Amino acid sequence: MTYDSELDMPEPSILLKHFPAMESGVRESNLQGVRFFKSTQPIPRRPMVYDPGICVVAQGHKTGYLGGRDFRYDANNYLVTSVTMPFECETFGCPEEPLLGLYIDIEMGQLNELISGMGLQAEMGRAAERGLPRGIGPAALDEEMADAVARLIKALGSETEARLLGPGLMREVLFRALGGTQAPVLYALAMYSGSFSKVAQVLRIMQRHYADKLDVEHLADRVHMSPSAFHRAFKEITSESPMQYLKKIRLTKARDLMVRESMKAYMAADRVGYESASQFSREFKRYFGQSPAEMTRELRAA
C-alpha cells in the first residue's frame, strides 16, 4: 500500500518516521521539558512516579494500575497526568519491536493561557460541578494530536528547529489535549480554587518537602480545608491516602538516591525522612518487592 503524503500514513508510522535512534532508557531531547524513552525488553509491573505531563507511546504499550483499575496507553492512546502520581506500570516491548515514546511536561502558564484563549472557562466550571476527576488517565490519539506530536518529534531532531519551533509545537500538543477526553483533568489542574487545585498545591508541597514531618492536619490547614474533607478529596484524585502517598514518594526518592548516587540504604532512608532504618527496609521491600540490600546486590552484579 502507498500513501500520497506523510499525513495519509497510519498514525503509528507518523510517530515513528522521525523517532531518534537511541539506547534503552530515558534520553533528554533538544528541548527542555521533552524526554524520549525506549525499552527493548518487557518490564514487569512495578512502582513508578509520573510528574504532570503528556505521555505518547509511538510503538509498544504500557499498562498502568491505580486504585484497583488498569489503563492502557499505546500508539492509539496517550496518557495525561495532572498531578505527581505514584502508580504501578507494566511495560511491553521486545528487541524486534521496542517500546518507544516521549514525555512532554505540562507548563502551567501555557495551560492557563490556552484555556483562556480557547474560551473554556464555562466548560471548566461545568467540569468542576461534575466532581473531582482522577489525576491520571488515557485519551484517544486522534489524527490532529498524532500530527502535532509527529511534527514535534521531527523538530527535536535539529537543535535549531527544537529551539525555534519546539515551544510552539509543545503548545499545540497541549492545545490538542484540551480537546481530548482527559480535558477535565487539565481543567481541574488549572483551577485557582476548588478541591482539586488545593490537593494539587499540597502535592507540590509534598514533592518539595517529603523529608519533613508532615501530617494530614498540617497539610489540610495549609490549604484551608478540614482534615476529613482534605483526606476525602486527596484519595479521590490520587487513589491514595495522604500518608500512603507520602510513603511512596519517600521510597521512590530513596531508591533513586541508592541507584543514581550509590548511597547506602540507611543514609538514603535518613535523607528522605525515615527515623527507623528497619521500618524503611520493611516498607521498601513491601513496595518494590526486594529489600534495599537485595537491590544493591543486583545493581552490583549488573
Side-chain angles (χ1 to χ4, degrees), residues 4 12 41 55 74 84 121 174 205 211 241 256 265-266 273-274:
D4 294 333
Q41 301 293 336
C55 182
D74 51 27
T84 300
Q121 292 89 338
L174 187 54
I205 292 170
S241 70
D256 288 346
Y266 75 90
Y274 273 87

Side-chain angles (χ1 to χ4, degrees), residues 35-286:
R35 295 170 297 284
F36 291 108
F37 57 85
K38 176 180 179 179
S39 177
T40 57
Q41 301 293 336
I43 301 174
R45 178 173 173 174
R46 69 178 188 183
M48 65 188 313
V49 176
Y50 276 8
D51 288 324
I54 296 168
C55 182
V56 182
V57 174
Q59 181 174 273
H61 73 275
K62 287 175 169 278
T63 300
Y65 302 89
L66 179 69
R69 68 188 184 105
D70 59 82
F71 47 88
R72 172 175 167 141
Y73 46 119
D74 51 27
N76 297 311
N77 299 277
Y78 62 93
L79 190 72
V80 178
T81 306
S82 62
V83 292
T84 300
M85 183 70 70
F87 68 108
E88 293 185 343
C89 180
E90 187 174 6
T91 298
F92 297 85
C94 62
E96 297 75 26
E97 190 172 303
L99 176 92
L100 299 169
L102 68 161
Y103 202 89
I104 305 162
D105 292 338
I106 293 174
E107 204 279 311
M108 283 304 303
Q110 200 171 70
L111 176 62
N112 289 320
E113 184 183 335
L114 282 170
I115 286 174
S116 176
M118 294 167 71
L120 294 173
Q121 292 89 338
E123 181 60 34
M124 204 161 79
R126 287 191 290 271
E129 292 173 2
R130 290 194 288 268
L132 298 174
R134 287 286 174 87
I136 189 170
L141 185 80
D142 59 23
E143 184 178 347
E144 290 78 12
M145 175 64 97
D147 178 50
V149 174
R151 285 184 285 112
L152 174 61
I153 293 172
K154 183 177 184 297
L156 293 176
S158 158
E159 290 186 9
T160 301
E161 289 192 19
R163 176 167 49 86
L164 298 177
L165 303 179
L169 291 168
M170 284 180 68
R171 176 187 174 89
E172 183 179 349
V173 170
L174 187 54
F175 172 86
R176 298 301 176 190
L178 283 166
T181 54
Q182 290 299 320
V185 172
L186 297 173
Y187 299 156
L189 177 61
M191 289 179 185
Y192 290 101
S193 60
S195 296
F196 191 101
S197 178
K198 291 179 178 181
V199 170
Q201 182 180 337
V202 168
L203 291 173
R204 289 191 289 272
I205 292 170
M206 295 170 86
Q207 280 292 309
R208 289 194 298 267
H209 304 287
Y210 55 84
D212 295 352
K213 290 185 177 180
L214 301 173
D215 57 47
V216 172
E217 290 73 18
H218 168 75
L219 294 170
D221 186 62
R222 289 287 295 268
V223 290
H224 310 291
M225 295 178 74
S226 70
S228 59
F230 168 71
H231 190 282
R232 183 168 58 252
F234 194 101
K235 192 159 188 178
E236 283 184 44
I237 293 166
T238 68
S239 297
E240 302 280 3
S241 70
M243 293 301 99
Q244 190 68 20
Y245 177 96
L246 179 61
K247 180 193 297 183
K248 290 184 175 182
I249 292 297
R250 284 175 170 171
L251 291 169
T252 301
K253 297 288 186 182
R255 182 184 63 176
D256 288 346
L257 290 170
M258 294 166 64
V259 171
R260 296 175 185 174
E261 300 182 22
S262 300
M263 188 175 289
K264 294 186 181 298
Y266 75 90
M267 295 176 64
D270 181 68
R271 179 77 67 86
V272 302
Y274 273 87
E275 296 180 354
S276 167
S278 59
Q279 180 187 0
F280 168 74
S281 184
R282 287 195 303 273
E283 293 183 351
F284 189 100
K285 184 167 186 176
R286 190 177 303 124

